[in-house]
Amino acid sequence: MGKIRAFLALNASEEAQSRIFEIRNELADIRSDIKWEPKDKFHVTLKFLGDVDETLLKNLTEDLRYELNGFGSFEITYKKLGCFPNMRMPKVVWIGAEDNDKKIFALNKTIEAKTKSYNFENESNRFHPHVTLGRVKGMRGINEVTELMESLEFDIIKDTASGVYVIKSTLQKSGSVYEVIDKIIL
């Protein structure tokens, strides 16, 4: 077994993906230098693992399956548009994800602790649950997109987080290709 590039995530349901895609499309109607993500890639990254040995990944997944046993599914809402690092200098366009009981933060904390025991670095940035809608590649149309983001009104999107997905990410010239290789039921 070799190494694969992988991450752990909550995948948006097909219904949530479709609703998020409608919002993304409104933003994408503006001609801009943003590479918009396809709807089948809409997810909340809990932990990016990078290049990881497949055997180690299997062991980590089994440990997480044990650790998260009984965690329980929870309602998640997608709302509020934003950019990293901020709206004045956007690099990533996103829609935020949250839940009333902060279970998404508890889930992230549990995963961070378990991956640290496998010698993965803790994330240096504060965890900010979101779905990436697009990545800024240049400045054409960016002001128009951020202006629309500030005025765009939409109903919050409710979804259920029922599992942590182990996702393989293969880099290609056209962009990354994702493949779900395991699911840890919550």
Side-chain angles (χ1 to χ4, degrees):
M1 290 194 163
K3 288 188 178 250
I4 61 170
R5 186 173 192 257
F7 62 93
L8 304 170
L10 299 174
N11 277 355
S13 69
E14 283 189 36
E15 182 182 335
Q17 284 178 347
S18 293
R19 299 219 14 238
I20 293 168
F21 193 64
E22 290 171 12
I23 296 163
R24 188 220 80 156
N25 282 347
E26 283 192 56
L27 299 172
D29 280 345
I30 297 171
R31 293 178 61 94
S32 67
D33 291 334
I34 299 175
K35 183 177 185 298
W36 298 103
E37 293 288 352
K39 75 177 182 177
D40 63 347
K41 289 176 82 172
F42 291 161
H43 66 273
V44 176
T45 300
L46 295 166
K47 178 71 176 175
F48 179 73
L49 301 170
D51 292 328
V52 59
D53 180 81
E54 289 182 82
T55 302
L56 185 134
L57 182 59
K58 284 185 187 299
N59 293 338
L60 171 62
T61 301
E62 287 312 308
D63 277 359
L64 283 170
R65 200 179 313 280
Y66 175 80
E67 196 80 23
L68 296 173
N69 185 30
F71 188 90
S73 61
F74 57 97
E75 185 178 270
I76 190 168
T77 56
Y78 299 103
K79 60 183 185 178
K80 296 180 190 167
L81 296 170
C83 295
F84 292 134
N86 57 54
M87 294 286 264
R88 290 182 314 282
M89 297 293 291
K91 296 291 179 211
V92 174
V93 177
W94 51 258
I95 185 169
E98 60 185 58
D99 68 284
N100 290 338
D101 299 324
K102 307 286 187 215
K103 288 190 87 168
I104 196 167
F105 286 96
L107 186 58
N108 171 258
K109 188 175 180 181
T110 301
I111 289 170
E112 282 288 350
K114 184 50 68 182
T115 56
K116 186 163 180 59
S117 74
Y118 277 80
N119 295 319
F120 286 94
E121 294 285 324
N122 277 351
E123 194 61 44
S124 58
N125 296 327
R126 187 174 62 89
F127 179 59
H128 187 281
H130 68 279
V131 171
T132 297
L133 302 180
R135 298 178 192 286
V136 177
K137 302 297 182 186
M139 292 311 295
R140 180 180 56 124
I142 299 306
N143 289 339
E144 293 86 345
V145 170
T146 56
E147 284 174 18
L148 178 57
M149 287 172 65
E150 290 173 339
S151 65
L152 190 62
E153 292 187 21
F154 57 91
D155 293 333
I156 64 169
I157 300 164
K158 293 183 182 274
D159 203 6
T160 301
S162 60
V164 173
Y165 292 80
V166 181
I167 301 175
K168 177 182 177 180
S169 174
T170 305
L171 297 177
Q172 297 182 344
K173 285 184 181 177
S174 58
S176 56
V177 176
Y178 296 165
E179 176 190 349
V180 173
I181 56 176
D182 207 340
K183 179 181 178 184
I184 301 165
I185 304 294
L186 294 177

